């Protein structure tokens, strides 16, 4: 049977809007952030300051401790993603009871078992994507530790044997890449809440996605934290 004929057109339209808004906002945040400044760009500047300090420190135990601390959060989210995926697959075995429960919720649209299971699989795909981003973020932090551990001593930088600026830029770019990857995974968690509204109705999903985009925009481009971290100079 053709899945396109089994899923109502309103659900397909809502799904297209969902992923279009997600990918569209991700591209917008990346491009607009480089032009006007965003929270990730502001913190990347401080990552550059950190690596500049790291080249002047010896030993670099503090930098190793900071790297280890930063890797704890993506590790937590990576493990949580696996648990959520397992819970969603377990839900697939009780779809009949789940649909009965959803039908009792006010304003919830009644759907068939196939549509309900399809929505669960979309949620699984979202958390699988989040898991891969968080796990890659963990891998990047191991590379950060490697780059910091391979840094020459401050005396070798001062003597001109090694290019200090080159090492700072390389290390800061690596930490920034880890932060960007973590941000992608965290953004997937935000949009997963919008996808939950799909179980109520397609329109609810679209509205929830717009709300999530507005929240992400306010936090990345209009937050008080960005104002504090912004280097006006």
């Amino acid at each position: 049977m053709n899945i396109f004929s089994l899923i109502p057109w309103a659900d397909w339209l809502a799904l297209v809007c969902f992923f279009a808004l997600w990918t569209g906002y991700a591209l917008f945040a990346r491009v607009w952030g480089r032009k006007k400044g965003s929270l990730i760009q502001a913190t990347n500047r401080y990552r550059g300051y950190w690596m500049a300090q790291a080249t002047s420190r010896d030993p670099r135990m503090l930098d190793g401790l900071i790297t280890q601390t930063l890797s704890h959060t993506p590790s937590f989210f990576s493990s949580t993603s696996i648990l959520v995926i397992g819970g969603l697959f377990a839900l697939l075995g009780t779809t009949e009871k789940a649909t009965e429960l959803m039908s009792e919720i006010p304003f919830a649209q009644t759907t068939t078992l196939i549509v309900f299971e399809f929505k669960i699989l979309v949620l699984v795909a979202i958390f699988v994507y989040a898991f891969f981003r968080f796990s890659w973020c963990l891998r990047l932090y191991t590379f950060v530790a490697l780059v910091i551990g391979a840094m020459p001593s401050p005396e070798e930088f001062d003597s001109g044997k090694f290019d200090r600026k080159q090492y700072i830029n390389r290390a800061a770019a690596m930490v920034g890449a880890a932060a960007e990857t973590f941000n992608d995974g965290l953004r997937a968690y935000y949009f997963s809440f919008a996808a939950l509204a799909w179980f109520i109705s397609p329109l609810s999903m679209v509205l929830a996605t717009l709300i999530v985009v507005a929240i992400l925009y306010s936090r990345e481009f209009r937050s008080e934290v960005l104002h504090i971290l912004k280097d006006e100079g």
Side-chain angles (χ1 to χ4, degrees), residues 102-122:
M102 289 299 300
S103 63
E104 296 177 0
I105 298 177
F107 310 110
Q109 187 181 53
T110 304
T111 59
T112 62
L113 285 177
I114 294 178
V115 174
F116 192 85
E117 291 173 351
F118 179 72
K119 293 177 181 180
I120 294 175
L121 289 175
V122 170

Side-chain angles (χ1 to χ4, degrees), residues 19-233:
F19 283 110
L21 287 169
W22 184 353
T23 56
Y25 176 77
L27 291 173
F28 165 80
R30 190 178 296 271
V31 175
W32 190 253
R34 289 171 181 170
K35 291 182 179 180
K36 299 297 181 180
S38 64
L39 189 58
I40 192 70
Q41 295 298 324
T43 52
N44 277 343
R45 186 162 50 249
Y46 281 87
R47 292 179 182 97
Y49 298 158
W50 169 27
M51 289 302 135
Q53 292 292 325
T55 59
S56 302
R57 265 195 291 264
D58 193 23
R60 299 188 176 97
M61 295 178 61
L62 175 62
D63 306 293
L65 181 62
I66 294 172
T67 304
Q68 184 179 11
T69 303
L70 289 173
S71 66
H72 285 167
T73 306
S75 176
F76 167 78
F77 277 104
S78 180
S79 302
T80 303
S81 299
I82 295 176
L83 294 176
V84 173
I85 292 169
L88 289 171
F89 274 118
L91 182 61
L92 283 173
T94 60
T95 50
E96 290 186 6
K97 293 182 179 179
T99 50
E100 291 177 3
L101 178 64
M102 289 299 300
S103 63
E104 296 177 0
I105 298 177
F107 310 110
Q109 187 181 53
T110 304
T111 59
T112 62
L113 285 177
I114 294 178
V115 174
F116 192 85
E117 291 173 351
F118 179 72
K119 293 177 181 180
I120 294 175
L121 289 175
V122 170
L123 274 175
V124 169
I126 292 172
F127 283 102
V128 166
Y129 169 79
F131 167 77
F132 277 111
R133 297 310 287 169
F134 287 128
S135 59
W136 180 240
C137 179
L138 276 172
R139 187 82 185 275
L140 288 177
Y141 275 122
T142 63
F143 298 155
V144 171
L146 181 64
V147 171
I148 292 175
M151 276 185 182
S153 65
E155 291 77 15
E156 290 179 305
F157 282 125
D158 294 336
S159 65
K161 185 177 179 181
F162 293 95
D163 190 341
R164 184 188 298 269
K165 186 176 181 181
Q166 183 184 29
Y167 269 84
I168 291 172
N169 292 338
R170 181 183 296 131
M174 185 63 70
V175 185
E180 290 271 8
T181 307
F182 176 77
N183 198 38
D184 290 341
L186 194 61
R187 193 177 288 150
Y189 266 67
Y190 274 89
F191 280 97
S192 69
F193 284 100
L196 286 175
W198 195 13
F199 290 93
I200 299 176
S201 70
L203 181 60
S204 298
M205 182 189 188
V206 175
L207 292 176
T209 306
L210 290 171
I211 292 173
V212 167
V213 169
I215 292 173
L216 289 173
Y217 177 80
S218 65
R219 291 188 176 182
E220 293 189 42
F221 295 95
R222 292 288 184 268
S223 65
E224 184 180 355
V225 176
L226 176 59
H227 178 71
I228 294 172
L229 294 177
K230 215 165 189 182
D231 188 357
E232 298 297 341

